[in-house]
Coordinates of all heavy atoms in Angstrom, one line a residue:
E125 N -2.5 10.1 -3.8 CA -3.1 8.9 -4.4 C -2.3 8.6 -5.6 O -1.4 9.4 -6.1 CB -4.6 9.0 -4.6 CG -5.0 10.2 -5.5 CD -6.4 10.3 -5.7 OE1 -7.2 10.0 -4.7 OE2 -6.9 10.9 -6.7
G126 N -2.5 7.4 -6.2 CA -1.8 7.0 -7.4 C -0.3 6.9 -7.2 O 0.1 6.5 -6.2
L127 N 0.3 7.4 -8.2 CA 1.8 7.3 -8.3 C 2.5 8.0 -7.1 O 3.4 7.5 -6.4 CB 2.4 7.8 -9.6 CG 3.9 7.8 -9.7 CD1 4.4 6.3 -9.7 CD2 4.3 8.4 -11.1
L128 N 2.0 9.2 -6.7 CA 2.5 9.9 -5.5 C 2.4 9.1 -4.3 O 3.4 9.0 -3.4 CB 1.9 11.3 -5.4 CG 2.5 12.1 -4.2 CD1 4.0 12.3 -4.4 CD2 1.8 13.5 -4.2
S129 N 1.3 8.5 -4.1 CA 1.1 7.6 -2.8 C 2.0 6.5 -2.9 O 2.6 6.2 -1.8 CB -0.4 7.1 -2.9 OG -0.6 6.2 -1.8
V130 N 2.2 5.8 -3.9 CA 3.2 4.7 -4.1 C 4.6 5.2 -3.7 O 5.3 4.6 -3.0 CB 3.1 3.9 -5.4 CG1 4.2 3.0 -5.6 CG2 1.7 3.3 -5.6
C131 N 4.9 6.3 -4.4 CA 6.3 6.8 -4.2 C 6.5 7.2 -2.7 O 7.6 6.8 -2.2 CB 6.5 8.0 -5.1 SG 8.2 8.5 -5.3
I132 N 5.6 7.9 -2.1 CA 5.8 8.1 -0.7 C 6.0 6.9 0.2 O 6.9 6.8 1.0 CB 4.6 9.0 -0.2 CG1 4.6 10.4 -0.8 CG2 4.6 9.0 1.4 CD1 3.4 11.3 -0.5
Q133 N 5.1 5.9 -0.1 CA 5.3 4.6 0.7 C 6.5 4.0 0.5 O 7.2 3.5 1.4 CB 4.1 3.7 0.5 CG 2.7 4.3 0.9 CD 1.6 3.4 0.4 OE1 1.4 2.4 0.9 NE2 0.9 4.0 -0.6
H134 N 7.0 4.0 -0.8 CA 8.3 3.3 -1.2 C 9.5 4.0 -0.5 O 10.3 3.4 0.1 CB 8.4 3.4 -2.6 CG 9.7 2.9 -3.2 ND1 9.8 1.6 -3.9 CD2 11.0 3.3 -3.2 CE1 11.1 1.4 -4.3 NE2 11.7 2.5 -3.9
E135 N 9.5 5.3 -0.6 CA 10.6 6.1 0.1 C 10.6 6.0 1.5 O 11.6 6.0 2.2 CB 10.6 7.5 -0.4 CG 10.7 7.8 -1.9 CD 11.9 7.0 -2.6 OE1 12.9 6.8 -1.9 OE2 11.8 6.7 -3.7
M136 N 9.3 6.0 2.1 CA 9.3 5.9 3.6 C 9.8 4.5 4.1 O 10.4 4.4 5.2 CB 7.8 6.1 4.2 CG 7.5 7.6 3.8 SD 6.6 8.5 5.0 CE 6.7 7.8 6.6
D137 N 9.6 3.5 3.2 CA 10.2 2.2 3.5 C 11.7 2.3 3.7 O 12.4 1.8 4.6 CB 9.9 1.1 2.5 CG 8.5 0.5 2.7 OD1 7.9 0.7 3.8 OD2 8.1 -0.2 1.8
H138 N 12.4 3.1 2.7 CA 13.8 3.3 2.8 C 14.2 3.9 4.1 O 15.2 3.5 4.7 CB 14.2 4.2 1.7 CG 14.5 3.5 0.4 ND1 15.3 2.4 0.1 CD2 13.9 3.7 -0.8 CE1 15.3 2.1 -1.1 NE2 14.3 2.8 -1.7
L139 N 13.5 4.8 4.6 CA 13.8 5.5 5.9 C 13.7 4.4 7.1 O 14.4 4.6 8.1 CB 12.9 6.6 6.2 CG 13.0 7.8 5.2 CD1 12.1 9.0 5.6 CD2 14.4 8.3 4.9
A140 N 12.9 3.4 6.9 CA 12.8 2.4 7.9 C 13.7 1.3 7.7 O 13.7 0.2 8.4 CB 11.3 1.8 7.9
G141 N 14.6 1.4 6.7 CA 15.7 0.4 6.4 C 15.1 -0.8 5.5 O 15.7 -1.9 5.6
K142 N 14.1 -0.6 4.7 CA 13.4 -1.6 4.0 C 13.6 -1.2 2.5 O 13.3 -0.2 2.0 CB 12.0 -1.8 4.4 CG 11.3 -3.0 3.8 CD 10.0 -3.3 4.5 CE 9.5 -4.5 4.0 NZ 8.2 -4.9 4.8
V143 N 13.9 -2.2 1.7 CA 14.0 -2.1 0.2 C 12.8 -2.8 -0.4 O 12.5 -3.9 0.2 CB 15.4 -2.6 -0.3 CG1 15.5 -2.5 -1.8 CG2 16.5 -1.9 0.4
F144 N 12.3 -2.4 -1.5 CA 11.1 -3.0 -2.0 C 11.2 -4.5 -2.4 O 10.2 -5.2 -2.3 CB 10.6 -2.2 -3.2 CG 11.1 -2.7 -4.6 CD1 10.4 -3.5 -5.4 CD2 12.3 -2.2 -5.1 CE1 10.9 -3.9 -6.6 CE2 12.8 -2.6 -6.3 CZ 12.0 -3.4 -7.1
V145 N 12.4 -5.0 -2.6 CA 12.6 -6.4 -2.9 C 12.2 -7.2 -1.7 O 12.0 -8.4 -1.8 CB 13.9 -6.7 -3.4 CG1 14.2 -6.0 -4.8 CG2 15.0 -6.3 -2.5
E146 N 12.2 -6.7 -0.6 CA 11.8 -7.5 0.7 C 10.4 -7.9 0.7 O 10.0 -8.7 1.5 CB 12.2 -6.7 1.9 CG 13.7 -6.5 2.0 CD 14.2 -5.7 3.2 OE1 13.7 -5.8 4.3 OE2 15.0 -4.8 2.9
Y147 N 9.5 -7.2 -0.2 CA 8.2 -7.6 -0.3 C 8.0 -8.9 -1.2 O 6.9 -9.4 -1.3 CB 7.3 -6.5 -0.9 CG 7.1 -5.4 0.1 CD1 7.9 -4.2 0.0 CD2 6.1 -5.4 1.1 CE1 7.6 -3.1 0.9 CE2 5.9 -4.4 2.0 CZ 6.7 -3.3 1.9 OH 6.5 -2.2 2.8
L148 N 9.0 -9.2 -1.9 CA 9.0 -10.3 -2.9 C 9.3 -11.6 -2.2 O 9.8 -11.6 -1.1 CB 10.0 -9.9 -4.0 CG 9.8 -8.7 -4.7 CD1 10.9 -8.4 -5.8 CD2 8.5 -8.4 -5.3
S149 N 9.1 -12.7 -3.0 CA 9.4 -14.0 -2.4 C 10.9 -14.1 -2.1 O 11.7 -13.5 -2.8 CB 8.9 -15.0 -3.3 OG 9.8 -15.1 -4.4
P150 N 11.2 -15.0 -1.1 CA 12.7 -15.3 -1.0 C 13.4 -15.6 -2.2 O 14.6 -15.2 -2.5 CB 12.7 -16.4 0.1 CG 11.5 -16.2 0.9 CD 10.5 -15.7 -0.2
L151 N 12.8 -16.5 -3.1 CA 13.4 -16.9 -4.3 C 13.7 -15.7 -5.2 O 14.9 -15.6 -5.7 CB 12.5 -17.9 -5.0 CG 13.1 -18.4 -6.3 CD1 14.4 -19.2 -6.1 CD2 12.0 -19.3 -7.0
K152 N 12.8 -14.8 -5.5 CA 12.9 -13.6 -6.3 C 14.0 -12.8 -5.6 O 14.9 -12.3 -6.4 CB 11.7 -12.9 -6.4 CG 10.7 -13.4 -7.5 CD 9.5 -12.5 -7.7 CE 8.6 -12.9 -8.7 NZ 7.5 -12.0 -8.9
R153 N 13.9 -12.5 -4.3 CA 14.9 -11.7 -3.7 C 16.3 -12.2 -3.8 O 17.2 -11.4 -4.2 CB 14.5 -11.6 -2.2 CG 15.1 -10.4 -1.5 CD 14.6 -10.1 -0.1 NE 14.3 -11.3 0.7 CZ 13.1 -11.7 1.0 NH1 12.0 -11.2 0.7 NH2 13.0 -12.9 1.9
N154 N 16.5 -13.4 -3.7 CA 17.9 -14.0 -3.8 C 18.3 -13.9 -5.3 O 19.5 -13.7 -5.5 CB 17.9 -15.5 -3.3 CG 17.8 -15.5 -1.8 OD1 18.3 -14.6 -1.1 ND2 17.3 -16.6 -1.2
R155 N 17.5 -14.1 -6.2 CA 17.9 -13.9 -7.6 C 18.3 -12.5 -7.9 O 19.2 -12.3 -8.6 CB 16.7 -14.3 -8.6 CG 16.5 -15.7 -8.7 CD 15.5 -16.1 -9.7 NE 15.2 -17.5 -9.8 CZ 14.1 -18.1 -10.3 NH1 13.1 -17.3 -10.7 NH2 13.9 -19.3 -10.3
I156 N 17.6 -11.6 -7.4 CA 17.9 -10.2 -7.5 C 19.2 -9.8 -6.9 O 20.0 -9.2 -7.5 CB 16.8 -9.2 -7.0 CG1 15.5 -9.4 -7.9 CG2 17.2 -7.8 -7.0 CD1 14.2 -8.8 -7.4
K157 N 19.4 -10.3 -5.6 CA 20.7 -10.1 -4.9 C 21.8 -10.6 -5.8 O 22.9 -10.0 -5.9 CB 20.6 -10.8 -3.6 CG 21.8 -10.6 -2.7 CD 21.6 -11.3 -1.4 CE 22.8 -11.1 -0.4 NZ 22.6 -11.7 0.9
S158 N 21.7 -11.9 -6.3 CA 22.8 -12.4 -7.1 C 23.0 -11.6 -8.3 O 24.2 -11.4 -8.7 CB 22.3 -13.9 -7.5 OG 22.3 -14.7 -6.4
K159 N 22.0 -11.1 -9.0 CA 22.1 -10.4 -10.2 C 22.8 -9.0 -9.8 O 23.8 -8.6 -10.6 CB 20.8 -10.0 -10.8 CG 20.8 -9.3 -12.1 CD 19.4 -9.1 -12.7 CE 19.5 -8.3 -14.0 NZ 18.2 -8.2 -14.7
M160 N 22.6 -8.4 -8.7 CA 23.1 -7.1 -8.3 C 24.6 -7.4 -8.0 O 25.5 -6.6 -8.4 CB 22.4 -6.5 -7.2 CG 21.0 -6.0 -7.4 SD 20.9 -4.6 -8.5 CE 20.2 -5.5 -9.9
L161 N 24.9 -8.4 -7.3 CA 26.4 -8.7 -6.9 C 27.1 -9.0 -8.2 O 28.3 -8.6 -8.3 CB 26.4 -9.9 -6.0 CG 25.8 -9.6 -4.6 CD1 25.7 -10.9 -3.6 CD2 26.7 -8.5 -3.8

Side-chain angles (χ1 to χ4, degrees):
E125 56 187 27
L127 182 59
L128 180 57
S129 173
V130 169
C131 193
I132 288 171
Q133 293 171 76
H134 177 108
E135 300 307 333
M136 295 224 16
D137 276 352
H138 279 300
L139 298 183
K142 190 169 188 173
V143 181
F144 90 96
V145 297
E146 292 173 51
Y147 289 102
L148 308 177
S149 71
L151 178 63
K152 278 187 177 181
R153 194 169 46 249
N154 285 331
R155 283 184 181 158
I156 292 167
K157 182 178 181 179
S158 296
K159 184 176 182 176
M160 293 294 108
L161 291 170

